[in-house]
Amino acid sequence: MDAKASETRPSLLNKLKTMARKLKANLMVMYLAYRDPRVPLFAKIFAICVVAYAFSPVDLIPDFIPVLGYLDDIILVPFGVYIALRLFPKEVLEEYRAKAEEQRKLGKPKNWITGTFIIAVWIALAVLCGRYFIRLVK
């Protein structure tokens, strides 16, 4: 294989990033469409969880942790979006795509409630780990 052919072919990481960007673009569609009465209850609940986590200003796995830090950005959020989109009726998604494009120009909304919840989980884990280590030392 020559060097020119390998330069034109995108790497696996670039393909994953491109696919993740496309799926994340659908977050706004889900954010707007989950309130529609034509969407089944399970799809609404799943979409709310995915959108709330994606719009949260705090990651469950912080980005400064090598490799794992980007796991949610590259794999978890896009996978959640992919599943949620499969649960939505196609006509509902098509209807909200134009509205989502307008909203996307205004910027990504922040979900501080989910961010607060994730911070609380991290604090609770730190307290539990601290108690465990104190018991080991005694």
Side-chain angles (χ1 to χ4, degrees):
M1 189 184 250
D2 61 349
K4 191 174 184 178
S6 64
E7 287 177 13
T8 58
R9 202 171 66 195
S11 70
L12 178 61
L13 182 60
N14 287 338
K15 286 180 184 179
L16 283 174
K17 286 181 181 180
T18 302
M19 187 173 74
R21 271 189 239 112
K22 286 179 183 178
L23 287 173
K24 287 174 97 174
N26 286 307
L27 279 172
M28 191 62 70
V29 175
M30 291 177 0
Y31 175 72
L32 297 171
Y34 83 89
R35 296 180 203 122
D36 194 291
R38 297 174 287 176
V39 176
L41 180 62
F42 180 74
K44 287 180 182 188
I45 293 169
F46 191 82
I48 288 169
C49 292
V50 171
V51 170
Y53 180 73
F55 289 158
S56 171
V58 180
D59 286 343
L60 186 60
I61 306 168
D63 289 342
F64 64 82
I65 298 174
V67 180
L68 292 178
Y70 292 103
L71 182 69
D72 61 343
D73 295 331
I74 294 176
I75 297 173
L76 295 179
V77 172
F79 187 65
V81 171
Y82 176 79
I83 291 171
L85 288 175
R86 295 283 187 184
L87 298 173
F88 276 73
K90 292 191 185 323
E91 57 273 0
V92 172
L93 290 175
E94 291 304 319
E95 183 178 318
Y96 284 95
R97 287 197 196 280
K99 292 178 185 178
E101 187 60 38
E102 292 172 16
Q103 181 70 31
R104 201 173 300 125
K105 291 176 184 174
L106 299 174
K108 180 174 99 169
K110 300 286 184 195
N111 189 329
W112 291 102
I113 294 171
T114 305
T116 304
F117 174 74
I118 291 171
I119 289 171
V121 167
W122 276 105
I123 290 170
L125 286 172
V127 168
L128 289 172
C129 288
R131 283 184 174 178
Y132 177 75
F133 288 121
I134 289 172
R135 287 183 187 158
L136 283 177
V137 173
K138 286 185 179 181

